[in-house]
Amino acid sequence: MTQSIAIIGGGIVGSTAAYYLSEFNKNNDLDITVFDHGCGQATKAAAGIISPWLSKRRNKSWYELAKDGATLLNSIADKTNMPEDIYNQCGTIITRNNLEDITELYDLAIERSKDTETIGEIYKLTPDEIKRHIPIINSNLPGLLVTGGARIKGDKYTDHLLKIAKSNGVSVINKEISINENVNVVCDRKEMQFDKIILATGAWTKNVLSNLPLDVDIRPQKGQLIELSINDINLSHEDMPVLMPEGESDFIPLGNGRLIVGASHENDKDFDLNPDADVIDELLNSATSLLPSLSAENLIRVKIGTRAYTSDFSPFFGKIPGYEKILVGSGLGSSGLTTGPLVGKILAEMAIDNLSMDIEKYRKPIENYIKLVK
């Protein structure tokens, strides 16, 4: 008997879920449809750093999700022959103002390396050693290199996985949908019934569920980043690590004479996708603090997306209470590129009742974030 599954949202979670479901569909007993409107999607606007191991967040479930998400992402990249302009394990350099902080981070990295190989090698770096790794920057701070760190381009990641999914028979419909009171998908005023619905709509999750009596703890956060041309700078090599400098925006050399700086975090902008001049100026100032020869003339484009956050900054995923045919994953925040692939795989496995892992170590109760309104 064929099982019909709808995936609402084609970002980091939805595209990964589509990829895995298409891989699971060896007997052609799954009918999979992705609905991907895409407007404002955080993933499509994001270029980010995969390096969760030095986080000092005290949320243990988040760290487990991020740590294993980084490992899974590396595996997906390898298995799908993902090009380096999408995912590149180029290493991550973290700088701090003093050696004591670097020693503390080093000890943390060594401890956490005991239960993950993906972190790679860990090295303390002098300012001169950092400059040898990233010769374009001007910085006098010590740092730490984690060789397993990576950079990723969200839009190209989703395109890559959805292309594979489509080649395996998944349908993709680029239209906006809603879920009605009958728990059916409505697209172009046509009601469509599915056995399972995977809801991967990020900051729009509350909106999509608005026809159901649910209280959803989600708020949107605006993120802006800038892409700069560095073609006029004498590069000794292109394949540089990404940099997470203290007190400044992330610094992501992409190769091919391109540099990403960002991203910002604005909590009071709702779903606004217009660039803010003051934020762009701050990002440019952050870039020029490390690379003084840059100016506004190097600006190629601004990319803007909307992240999803919960009130305690924790992601959530699982079956929606009272509506167990709907599986949801949201609230990933600024770590979505790291945690999203694992959430997508989990939801894909849950949709076919074939979980391969202990998911409770990754999450708090979903009822903390989605409740039935009585």
Side-chain angles (χ1 to χ4, degrees):
M1 182 177 177
T2 300
Q3 181 182 11
S4 60
I5 302 175
I7 301 171
I8 315 301
I12 194 82
V13 174
S15 63
T16 307
Y19 162 71
Y20 274 106
L21 283 172
S22 75
E23 291 289 298
F24 299 153
N25 194 24
K26 302 302 182 185
N27 297 322
N28 295 315
D29 53 0
L30 300 176
D31 182 6
I32 307 156
T33 305
V34 177
F35 296 89
D36 181 27
H37 181 46
C39 180
Q41 185 188 97
T43 304
K44 291 188 183 302
I49 297 174
I50 308 302
S51 188
W53 309 286
L54 301 182
S55 171
K56 293 185 178 180
R57 286 177 63 169
R58 295 179 181 177
N59 184 334
K60 184 178 179 181
S61 60
W62 174 88
Y63 177 71
E64 290 295 320
L65 184 68
K67 177 197 69 175
D68 290 353
T71 297
L72 178 67
L73 184 51
N74 186 264
S75 174
I76 291 171
D78 182 61
K79 185 177 180 181
T80 65
N81 297 312
M82 196 171 284
E84 286 192 348
D85 68 331
I86 302 177
Y87 174 88
N88 188 329
Q89 200 169 27
C90 55
T92 303
I93 293 176
I94 298 95
T95 60
R96 290 293 182 265
N97 288 323
N98 58 70
L99 286 172
E100 290 79 8
D101 289 344
I102 292 298
T103 298
E104 183 181 348
L105 283 175
Y106 178 82
D107 292 342
L108 177 64
I110 292 296
E111 179 63 28
R112 287 180 168 176
S113 69
K114 295 175 182 177
D115 64 354
T116 177
E117 295 181 359
T118 312
I119 193 172
E121 301 295 325
I122 304 145
Y123 302 100
K124 294 180 183 178
L125 301 178
T126 66
D128 286 343
E129 288 171 328
I130 291 175
K131 189 166 179 61
R132 283 198 287 273
H133 284 283
I134 312 177
I136 61 175
I137 67 168
N138 179 25
S139 176
N140 295 314
L141 299 178
L144 192 72
L145 170 65
V146 177
T147 64
R151 66 173 186 251
I152 182 172
K153 291 203 73 175
D155 54 350
K156 290 189 174 183
Y157 173 93
T158 59
D159 290 345
H160 180 73
L161 289 197
L162 288 175
K163 182 178 179 180
I164 295 172
K166 286 192 285 187
S167 71
N168 289 334
V170 173
S171 300
V172 177
I173 298 175
N174 297 118
K175 293 184 178 180
E176 190 171 7
I177 64 90
S178 61
I179 294 176
N180 66 14
E181 62 277 5
N182 299 319
V183 200
N184 292 327
V185 174
V186 178
C187 180
D188 284 343
R189 300 184 181 181
K190 179 182 178 181
E191 188 170 346
M192 308 168 71
Q193 187 170 359
F194 292 90
D195 297 312
K196 294 284 178 64
I197 298 172
I198 293 176
L199 195 58
T201 48
W204 285 265
T205 299
K206 186 173 185 176
N207 305 52
V208 176
L209 293 171
S210 61
N211 290 319
L212 302 178
L214 295 168
D215 181 14
V216 183
D217 176 15
I218 281 289
R219 63 174 172 83
Q221 184 189 74
K222 186 175 183 179
Q224 304 175 67
L225 56 78
I226 57 174
E227 184 173 341
L228 301 160
S229 170
I230 51 175
N231 279 321
D232 57 341
I233 297 169
N234 184 23
L235 299 178
S236 59
H237 58 86
E238 288 265 315
D239 195 17
M240 293 176 277
V242 295
L243 179 67
M244 302 173 72
E246 185 167 33
E248 300 290 348
S249 299
D250 293 339
F251 192 88
I252 309 172
L254 297 177
N256 299 317
R258 296 291 184 268
L259 170 69
I260 293 288
V261 178
S264 66
H265 300 74
E266 288 87 57
N267 293 326
D268 56 351
K269 301 291 185 177
D270 202 38
F271 292 94
D272 173 41
L273 295 176
N274 296 304
D276 295 304
D278 57 338
V279 173
I280 305 310
D281 286 343
E282 287 178 12
L283 294 173
L284 277 169
N285 290 336
S286 187
T288 56
S289 71
L290 291 168
L291 214 172
S293 61
L294 287 175
S295 70
E297 293 181 358
N298 295 93
L299 182 63
I300 298 172
R301 59 176 171 167
V302 178
K303 298 184 74 174
I304 302 169
T306 308
R307 308 182 189 96
Y309 270 94
T310 58
S311 57
D312 68 354
F313 301 97
S314 294
F316 64 84
F317 59 87
K319 297 178 180 179
I320 292 183
Y323 298 92
E324 294 200 343
K325 85 175 213 178
I326 307 179
L327 306 169
V328 63
S330 188
L332 306 186
S334 57
S335 63
L337 292 176
T338 304
T339 58
L342 183 51
V343 172
K345 183 181 183 184
I346 289 169
L347 295 178
E349 291 184 351
M350 292 181 76
I352 59 171
D353 300 315
N354 190 30
L355 267 175
S356 64
M357 64 195 91
D358 172 19
I359 64 172
E360 297 310 320
K361 66 179 179 178
Y362 298 133
R363 64 176 184 171
K364 298 178 181 179
I366 193 170
E367 291 82 4
N368 289 9
Y369 310 100
I370 299 186
K371 301 181 181 71
L372 273 171
V373 178
K374 297 180 181 179

